[in-house]
Amino acid sequence: MSTLEKRFTILAGPNGSGKTTFVQNIFPDLLEQNHFINADIFAQKINPDDVSKAAIPAGKKLIKELDRFLDSDDSFILETTLSGQSLLTKIEIAKKRDFFIKLIFLWLLYVELCDFRVKGRVASGGHNIPFEDIRRRYHRGLHNFPEYLKFVDECQIYLAEGFPKLIFHKKNDMSLEILDQKLYDQFSLSIKNADI
């Protein structure tokens, strides 16, 4: 794979899994170049006092930015919970436009930990997300994960309860590398038991 290859990286996981922090630490160059698409950041710019009131315009801005990057030759990252399936259409477009598509999924064992982390973010001045929204997105993201896995060129799953620990890696030749069988089995069970 060429280093000049254009990449569409999907950074997925439930609310509170540390997606933005992961980008800051792993992809600082794309962050500095404004090649990071995140509806939460758009919402904070639109209505810093109440991001929940900016959800619809932030979603529209996300789609506009995603389409702009898909029309370019620039690599970029999109942050998502995978709680919907509309992104699958954008992945098909990206494939037709010769993007290499990588899915990074940050997983937490329990939805309650997601809620705890969001509350910690709120205490530090960040935005809140109601527990029911966190819970719904957590389970839908797990439920939708296998469908997304079918369409990406590469995938990594990390347990994100502390420093992210890589537990699974799928390469574009369909070879699978499971680095922690016990955690991978737990992840698989959480998909099976996703309460949607």
Side-chain angles (χ1 to χ4, degrees), residues 57-116:
K60 289 179 180 178
K61 172 79 170 162
L62 182 142
I63 292 166
K64 183 178 178 182
E65 283 296 294
L66 179 53
D67 288 340
R68 183 177 68 83
F69 275 108
L70 290 175
D71 287 337
S72 76
D73 285 331
D74 295 327
S75 293
F76 66 98
I77 300 173
L78 171 73
E79 181 176 309
T80 178
T81 60
L82 288 189
S83 60
Q85 293 192 350
S86 60
L87 186 55
L88 291 169
T89 303
K90 299 297 185 181
I91 291 173
E92 288 178 25
I93 293 168
K95 283 188 158 299
K96 290 177 185 171
R97 296 181 183 170
D98 297 322
F99 277 89
F100 182 89
I101 302 165
K102 180 174 182 175
L103 172 61
I104 300 171
F105 193 90
L106 303 182
W107 172 59
L108 297 175
L109 281 164
Y110 305 103
V111 67
E112 293 80 10
L113 181 54
C114 300
D115 186 51
F116 178 78

Side-chain angles (χ1 to χ4, degrees), residues 1 18 21 39 55 61 93 106 166 192:
M1 176 174 56
T21 303
K61 172 79 170 162
I93 293 168
L106 303 182
L166 182 63
K192 181 179 178 184

